[in-house]
Amino acid sequence: MVPEIYLNFLWYILVAVTSIQLLYHWLVYRRLSFAKVSESTPKRIAVSVIVCAKNEAENLKKHLPAILQQDFPFFEVVVIDDRSSDNTLEVLEEFALQYAHLKIVKVAPNEHFWGNKKYALTLGIKAAKNPYLLFTDADCVPNSKQWIAQMSSQFTMKKNLVLGYGAYKKIKGSWLNKIIRFDTIHTALQYFGWAMAGKPYMGVGRNLAYHKDLFFQLDGFKNHLKVLTGDDDLFVNEAATAQNTTWSLHPESFTTSEPKTTYTEWMYQKRRHLLAAPHYKFSDKLQLSLYFLVNFLFFPLAIGYLILTQNWLWGVPVVVVRYLSLYIIYFKAAKKFGEKDLIWFLPFLELFLIYYQIVIYFKNLTSKPLHWKPIES
């Protein structure tokens, strides 16, 4: 029989952990979940779409036309060939014969910046002729011909950084694909929610826009150039403020990317992405770490209390309230992003994501990914 004093202590810790989770849900994440999606008026501004491509010949064949054929009056598409070893350059040159607004930037070998995507992007940004920059990846496709119009419509005199949403394509019957899409919603709740709360801390390079002047005001990626990743989230972490940051939640402003199809590929991608987190501002690292910690602790605390106590009257309501809150927040966010099918699996997806986050963390402690794309690509 466990002494009552220990059960009481376990109960108070469980309530504290759950309360912190609920504060995150209803003070931060609900801002995205309950946000209104309104129509915006397109602006007559000049935009440069920037795509960095490394061995992306097949993806460019599939996705580049959707970017080049956007319904927008003033734009160019700048594609950087980052020393590809496949026929990426040949594919781009064929497109350039059809589309005068396609600009190709070739990255010459530079031993000081070998394997660094930020160097390639910097060359593309410098080559862009327009003041407003819109970024995506070679494996991404805009959800509509209004993508540029919707994203650029959010720019104002004060708002010079726009956060967008980048989804992943659905693969029927794939559990890994469900984890990837759930992770994407989870991340979106965090970065959109905190931006709406006045503390923007990251964005995703699959769908991100900012003014060229902002890039040069910060000397580009200078402060984190040696960090393998972070051309999107570390730049936003440094540049974004409550005053200059806005977002687009219109479905026509979304992009959809090709998801990884093996756990090894996805783990490498996640490991690379998570290399940026230690370089965030201290307050951002603190809030992200706290949320992960309380999420992780909830499960052993709840299970331990329910097993050890003989009175479930106090434990079950805490679990029910926590999951009710989780379902409301995630359901409304998933509905907004067209991912409602994930809600049926929410408790399992959450557990799998926590497990993989722990595995990735410890893998990165012992070894780190060395390139922005695996060498074999």
Side-chain angles (χ1 to χ4, degrees), residues 56-331:
E56 295 284 9
E58 294 306 312
N59 279 326
L60 289 170
K61 289 177 187 177
K62 288 192 293 183
H63 304 316
L64 191 56
I67 298 175
L68 290 165
Q69 296 167 12
Q70 284 287 297
D71 184 11
F72 193 75
F74 313 109
F75 79 102
E76 66 171 354
V77 179
V78 179
V79 182
I80 308 122
D81 175 24
D82 188 10
R83 293 162 295 109
S84 299
S85 57
D86 66 355
N87 63 330
T88 290
L89 182 58
E90 289 80 359
V91 169
L92 290 173
E93 288 172 340
E94 287 181 16
F95 275 119
L97 296 175
Q98 305 174 57
Y99 299 96
H101 57 297
L102 172 61
K103 179 181 293 184
I104 304 170
V105 176
K106 304 173 189 177
V107 178
N110 186 321
E111 63 180 9
H112 296 294
F113 301 107
W114 185 78
N116 195 320
K117 183 181 179 182
K118 293 173 190 172
Y119 173 65
L121 278 172
T122 300
L123 296 180
I125 291 169
K126 289 181 176 180
K129 69 179 182 181
N130 297 325
Y132 293 95
L133 310 176
L134 176 55
F135 297 84
T136 192
D137 290 336
D139 65 346
C140 295
V141 61
N143 279 17
S144 78
K145 286 193 172 185
Q146 302 302 313
W147 171 58
I148 297 177
Q150 287 293 337
M151 285 293 288
S152 62
S153 70
Q154 304 303 319
F155 283 114
T156 67
M157 293 294 291
K158 293 184 178 180
K159 303 294 185 181
N160 59 8
L161 192 155
V162 183
L163 305 177
Y165 179 69
Y168 281 101
K169 187 172 71 175
K170 297 179 183 180
I171 299 177
K172 189 175 181 181
S174 170
W175 180 250
L176 172 61
N177 183 253
K178 287 181 173 61
I179 295 174
I180 291 172
R181 291 188 288 126
F182 178 76
D183 180 39
T184 305
I185 294 177
H186 172 75
T187 303
L189 279 165
Q190 292 180 309
Y191 75 82
F192 277 119
W194 281 105
M196 293 173 180
K199 283 188 59 63
Y201 77 93
M202 71 159 282
V204 293
R206 303 188 302 276
N207 200 4
L208 177 67
Y210 49 80
H211 198 285
K212 200 172 185 179
D213 287 348
L214 183 62
F215 181 80
F216 289 111
Q217 285 168 12
L218 295 174
D219 289 327
F221 305 122
K222 178 182 176 182
N223 291 333
H224 48 87
L225 189 61
K226 293 183 180 180
V227 182
L228 174 66
T229 187
D231 54 276
D232 46 9
D233 55 346
L234 285 183
F235 180 82
V236 173
N237 194 257
E238 183 179 14
T241 67
Q243 292 72 40
N244 73 358
T245 303
T246 186
W247 48 85
S248 178
L249 295 177
H250 197 287
E252 290 187 331
S253 74
F254 299 165
T255 62
T256 300
S257 301
E258 297 285 343
K260 302 301 182 184
T261 55
T262 69
Y263 284 91
T264 300
E265 291 176 325
W266 178 65
M267 289 278 282
Y268 187 95
Q269 182 186 54
K270 288 297 295 179
R271 289 180 63 196
R272 181 171 54 81
H273 289 168
L274 290 177
L275 290 178
H279 301 276
Y280 287 177
K281 296 172 186 173
F282 176 76
S283 59
D284 298 323
K285 288 191 289 187
L286 184 63
Q287 66 87 1
L288 289 169
S289 299
L290 178 61
Y291 186 68
F292 174 79
L293 180 63
V294 295
N295 254 14
F296 170 75
L297 288 177
F298 172 80
F299 296 98
L301 288 171
I303 293 170
Y305 183 81
L306 292 174
I307 289 176
L308 294 175
T309 184
Q310 296 181 1
N311 182 3
W312 286 27
L313 181 63
W314 295 100
V316 170
V318 175
V319 174
V320 170
V321 167
R322 190 261 186 185
Y323 273 104
L324 180 61
S325 172
L326 197 72
Y327 265 97
I328 292 172
I329 294 297
Y330 274 86
F331 175 78

Side-chain angles (χ1 to χ4, degrees), residues 32 35 332:
L32 169 64
K332 294 187 73 68

